Amino acid sequence: MSAQSAPAKVQQVSAIGVTPPPDIYVECQAFSGSLATLFLMVRDHKVNLLGVPLAPVCEAFAEYLIETSGEDTERAASAIAVLSYLLERKAFALLPVEEASSEDPPELSEPMEPSVQEFAQVILALNDLAEERGGLFFRQSRPPVQDLVDGKGGAYELPIEIGDVTTFDLARAFERLVARAIPDKPAAFRKPARSLSEMMVVVSRALQLEFKSLDEIVVGDFTRTEAVWWFLALLELIRIGQARVRSHKGEVQFAGAAAA
Amino acid sequence: MRLDRVIEALLFAADTPVSADALARAIGCPIYEVEEKLENYGARLRDTSALQLVRIAGGYQLCTKPEYSEVLSRFLAPQNTRLSRAVLEVLAVVAYRQPVTLAEIEQVRGVDSTYGVHALLDRRLVREVGRKKTPGKPHLYGTTQQFLHVFKLDDLTQLPPLELSLSQDVGDGIPSEQGAFLLE
């Protein structure tokens, strides 16, 4: 078994969907390939993890951290996520299996594989029940049952008056903003560049009297930290009545407070 | 005040299922009287109203009759988000094997079920009901009242029967009082 932190090949697979882990190459009898591929293979039940010693992989990761001096925290975090998943899966696989009692007949001594096929019929029946239930309408107040089912998030309360805008609308707007952000340069535990009140001044200057989406308001490059601070400041402005929010054609729009 | 009208008022005002016990406590009369009136009220609605009284999620609730669903759908335009097959699979495993851990769900399905469990938690169809006393103390999941409401069930005993060829080991950990639906 060996695990090397040196790049074995160009990593093409993004194991957890965002940032691929570092190019740690795992070589043993049960598996040969990158850490990301190992993660995917284990996740898809294509590799028996019991045959893959994880200690050398962890050592290689520690070596990687020392070599790179923790410069790329995104990839390091990705590796931690992958390694913790693998360790959890392996720990689970190593748990002792209860032995069948001696009174069991021999044919039942082997544990039967549970299967989702058992549930095929009841899933159809549950679908029918849900359809039948869909034809009934109940009197509702906030939060409506159907809103919860639809994931509109009626159960969440905000100490802010945001009209017909739901918490999910805000979350989606924030998600889009963060998606546009570029990862921060690593600088562990640094204090934010601005305080929230300073950020609120910046945000209130960016808001105009007419409603605009975040895509229109926030332009240019910004980091994830800036995006989070920006959005927090925006929420605080809404809370104190210095900003307004509305849902327009499925899009959340923001504006500054109307002139008195 | 007539008892049946008081019950009608309470049912109208309630936006969640109300148990006969809760009605009896609110009115201050014996539960058997409330149950009798509920039965009479339900029968009266059957013939004379667009509403009906249903037993759902452990209580009684007023709702519209199915024959008005089309016009109500046009009027209210509910956004029905169907559960995907994968999420329904997770839900079925939780419903029939609760309390159950994520690992046990994955053992049954053979695939990662993290998304499914989170989707169901978000929709309040399942909830964490405790932790299993095994290494790692994993979360145990069970269904909610919301689940009963969405699938028009009064309680878990009304779940469609699970026809099993495998049998005895299924249902490990299910409380005995809920065991009636386990094996046919």
Side-chain angles (χ1 to χ4, degrees), chain B residues 118-164:
Chain B
H118 285 165
L120 293 169
L121 285 169
D122 283 346
R123 287 171 162 77
R124 313 286 168 93
L125 295 175
V126 304
R127 66 188 176 98
E128 289 170 9
V129 293
R131 283 174 174 262
K132 194 168 186 176
K133 289 178 182 168
T134 54
K137 293 190 168 48
H139 284 291
L140 287 165
Y141 297 99
T143 52
T144 59
Q145 291 293 101
Q146 176 77 6
F147 164 78
L148 296 175
H149 207 284
V150 168
F151 290 94
K152 196 173 169 271
L153 302 168
D154 191 23
D155 55 36
L156 288 174
T157 61
Q158 290 191 342
L159 275 170
L162 185 59
E163 290 170 12
L164 299 173

Side-chain angles (χ1 to χ4, degrees), chain A residues 21-253:
Chain A
D23 298 321
I24 294 173
Y25 191 78
V26 183
E27 177 76 53
C28 65
Q29 271 195 335
F31 177 80
S32 174
S34 70
L35 180 60
T37 313
L38 175 64
F39 169 78
L40 292 173
M41 300 292 273
V42 170
R43 190 194 64 184
D44 298 342
H45 301 272
K46 288 175 181 166
V47 162
N48 181 8
L49 198 52
L50 290 175
V52 184
L54 290 179
V57 185
C58 293
E59 275 173 22
F61 172 61
E63 207 174 286
Y64 163 81
L65 283 182
I66 293 164
E67 278 175 12
T68 59
S69 310
E71 278 172 9
D72 193 345
T73 49
E74 293 283 337
R75 299 193 87 189
S78 178
I80 288 173
V82 168
L83 279 171
S84 55
Y85 174 81
L86 294 176
L87 288 168
E88 186 190 12
R89 290 294 296 261
K90 185 154 185 178
F92 184 76
L94 285 170
L95 285 177
V97 179
E98 268 185 39
E99 288 179 17
S101 76
S102 55
E103 293 159 11
D104 286 342
E107 62 271 22
L108 291 178
S109 60
E110 283 186 19
M112 283 181 279
E113 280 295 319
S115 159
V116 77
Q117 296 307 318
E118 293 170 39
F119 298 95
Q121 290 302 316
V122 295
I123 287 171
L124 291 176
L126 285 173
N127 255 334
D128 291 344
L129 284 172
E131 235 168 69
E132 193 183 321
R133 159 67 177 80
L136 306 180
F137 289 81
F138 293 82
R139 188 172 171 277
Q140 298 168 347
S141 61
R142 300 280 171 191
V145 170
Q146 198 58 47
D147 274 7
L148 294 177
V149 177
D150 293 342
K152 287 185 193 167
Y156 297 102
E157 288 181 14
L158 267 185
I160 308 171
E161 180 50 53
I162 52 173
D164 60 348
V165 178
T166 68
T167 49
F168 275 83
D169 294 332
L170 284 176
R172 272 192 287 269
F174 178 58
E175 192 181 18
R176 276 204 300 272
L177 185 69
V178 171
R180 284 173 48 208
I182 51 174
D184 297 69
K185 291 269 165 50
F189 307 117
R190 71 173 175 189
K191 288 179 71 176
R194 290 192 175 97
S195 69
L196 186 60
S197 56
E198 287 169 334
M199 202 66 205
M200 284 163 66
V201 175
V202 174
V203 175
S204 62
R205 281 181 188 153
L207 294 174
Q208 297 175 7
L209 281 179
E210 59 190 275
F211 281 97
K212 287 187 173 178
S213 71
L214 276 182
D215 290 342
E216 294 168 311
I217 299 169
V218 187
V219 291
D221 290 341
F222 52 90
T223 66
R224 288 178 184 166
T225 306
E226 285 168 338
V228 171
W229 271 104
W230 215 95
F231 202 78
L232 275 176
L234 182 56
L235 288 178
E236 188 62 13
L237 284 171
I238 296 169
R239 191 184 72 79
I240 62 173
Q242 294 294 309
R244 294 171 293 152
V245 58
R246 73 171 186 185
S247 182
H248 182 65
K249 294 178 181 173
E251 190 173 40
V252 185
Q253 296 181 327

Side-chain angles (χ1 to χ4, degrees), chain B residues 2-14:
Chain B
R2 281 176 52 181
L3 182 57
D4 52 351
R5 293 196 178 172
V6 175
I7 290 174
E8 185 176 31
L10 290 173
L11 288 170
F12 174 78

